[in-house]
Amino acid sequence: YSFCKYYNIKFITAVPTRFQNYFYFANDLFYSNPKIKKNYLLYNNKQIKSKIVDDLYKKISIEGNLSSDVILVRKNLNIAKSNILRKIFNLILFSIKHSILWLLLKFNYKNLTIVNHVSYPFFQPIFEQYKKLTSFVFLSKIKYINNLNIKYIYLPLHKTPEFSTQIKGNKFMDQLYLIESLSKNLPVGYKLLIKEHPSMLDSQARTNNFYEILMNFPNVEMVDFRLPGSEIVKKAQLVVILDGTSAVEAVITGVPVLTMVPFVYDFLELSVENFDITKLHLDLKKAILLKKKNFNKERKLRIKRLLKSILLCSHNMKNTDIFYYTAKEFNINNFKDVAKDYSNALIKELKLK
């Protein structure tokens, strides 16, 4: 981005809209797209009469069907629910496969899996798998809160490393800092509920010390990582997030959102942004008050206007699975479909002939 800016070269990056498989091209690293907001404002105070918009709204209103990454997280949730014996078996199986590949590389034989590897460490990958197993065992033994019929603010942990924490929400890269800040600024009578991201148990695990520290905060409780996030969102008084699908999920559900970084859909006025950590307690109260405003009909209209704008400014991709590291079932035709959709989108975006 800096290179392009210095040499005055056009910069665009593909960004998911968080609605089904639609994506748009942003002009900076903060995923901003003025065209979506501009089109939304054009439809302000207007009824949207469109079968495509109505059908899309019905689709995203179905629990767990908002976007491709929500579906992926659901898959990871099912993996996380597997029992300890299965996970031990998977660790042994991984160790055997890894050892075979390591020996093949040692004897200078490279198959498609390791053709681009200059080196192939033996112990580190096995240790990472073992760490995920110990993390799963630790999380399975935690005493989680069972009663969601209380006043609570929900903070879904972000997968790390990830753009939302490493780049966009850089000052909250240490999520314990965010948890501690929220804990100290919670309104009286509220609990802060934390849930681990299911993908963390299938990619790289946090240390057990992380969970021990957050559970020591007096008004903080952990929710079982095997519980679907949508169930926690719909009963929350407020969802706090850096940036991500949970924010959009909350907006769709009618739960107010507090974002700690600029929110791409802030113009909907269904969320509050915190730009000053010293005013966090005020922004928490301001965001909670949004729930007390009973404007379900108006919220639905705003979301439909947003969908109309997204359809005008974005592109659709049939198959997004190959972009996820957990994807296993794809073939050359999947790559061809994605390449075709992406090239057509670039041609349209750059107005090429």
Side-chain angles (χ1 to χ4, degrees), residues 45-268:
N45 299 320
K46 292 181 182 179
Q47 294 286 339
I48 301 297
K49 295 179 180 179
S50 167
K51 188 177 184 306
I52 298 174
V53 171
D54 290 341
D55 290 345
L56 183 56
Y57 183 84
K58 286 176 184 177
K59 277 184 182 178
I60 63 171
S61 299
I62 298 170
E63 193 172 306
N65 201 39
L66 178 62
S67 62
S68 58
D69 59 326
V70 170
I71 295 168
L72 175 75
V73 168
R74 289 257 170 171
K75 289 178 181 176
N76 288 334
L77 199 59
N78 291 329
I79 294 170
K81 288 178 180 179
S82 60
N83 60 44
I84 185 67
L85 289 175
R86 184 174 180 82
K87 290 197 172 288
I88 292 172
F89 172 77
N90 288 338
L91 174 62
I92 295 169
L93 187 63
F94 172 85
S95 301
I96 294 170
K97 288 181 177 179
H98 171 72
S99 300
I100 293 171
L101 286 174
W102 184 81
L103 284 170
L104 288 173
L105 187 64
K106 201 75 174 172
F107 289 102
N108 207 30
Y109 174 80
K110 295 184 178 183
N111 67 359
L112 288 174
T113 309
I114 54 175
V115 67
N116 295 316
H117 283 263
V118 177
S119 63
Y120 196 69
F122 182 75
F123 292 106
Q124 185 183 349
I126 295 175
F127 176 72
E128 287 296 324
Q129 294 295 320
Y130 173 75
K131 201 165 84 169
K132 286 194 286 185
L133 176 62
T134 56
S135 179
F136 174 81
V137 173
F138 183 86
L139 286 169
S140 298
K141 292 180 178 178
I142 288 177
K143 187 178 180 182
Y144 296 106
I145 186 169
N146 295 317
N147 180 22
L148 294 181
N149 296 316
I150 57 172
K151 289 201 295 185
Y152 67 85
I153 292 169
Y154 174 45
L155 173 68
L157 290 176
H158 288 267
K159 183 178 176 294
T160 303
E162 189 181 60
F163 176 85
S164 58
T165 50
Q166 314 306 110
I167 306 294
K168 198 171 183 182
N170 183 262
K171 63 182 177 181
F172 298 112
M173 191 184 299
D174 178 3
Q175 292 185 69
L176 281 174
Y177 168 59
L178 175 58
I179 293 167
E180 183 177 4
S181 300
L182 288 167
S183 173
K184 290 177 177 178
N185 287 278
L186 281 189
V188 176
Y190 281 80
K191 287 276 189 182
L192 178 65
L193 300 194
I194 311 286
K195 178 177 173 286
E196 180 56 286
H197 197 296
S199 295
M200 287 301 293
L201 296 171
D202 198 47
S203 54
Q204 59 275 357
R206 301 183 213 271
T207 63
N208 295 344
N209 185 53
F210 176 91
Y211 306 112
E212 289 170 345
I213 292 172
L214 77 84
M215 287 189 295
N216 279 329
F217 294 120
N219 50 3
V220 175
E221 300 274 0
M222 282 198 72
V223 185
D224 196 328
F225 64 95
R226 290 158 291 203
L227 190 67
S230 55
E231 290 186 25
I232 312 165
V233 167
K234 63 188 178 186
K235 291 187 177 182
Q237 300 299 307
L238 174 68
V239 172
V240 178
I241 198 166
L242 295 183
D243 175 61
T245 305
S246 291
V248 179
E249 201 168 28
V251 166
I252 298 294
T253 310
V255 176
V257 175
L258 175 68
T259 61
M260 307 303 291
V261 296
F263 183 36
V264 68
Y265 300 132
D266 60 347
F267 52 83
L268 292 175

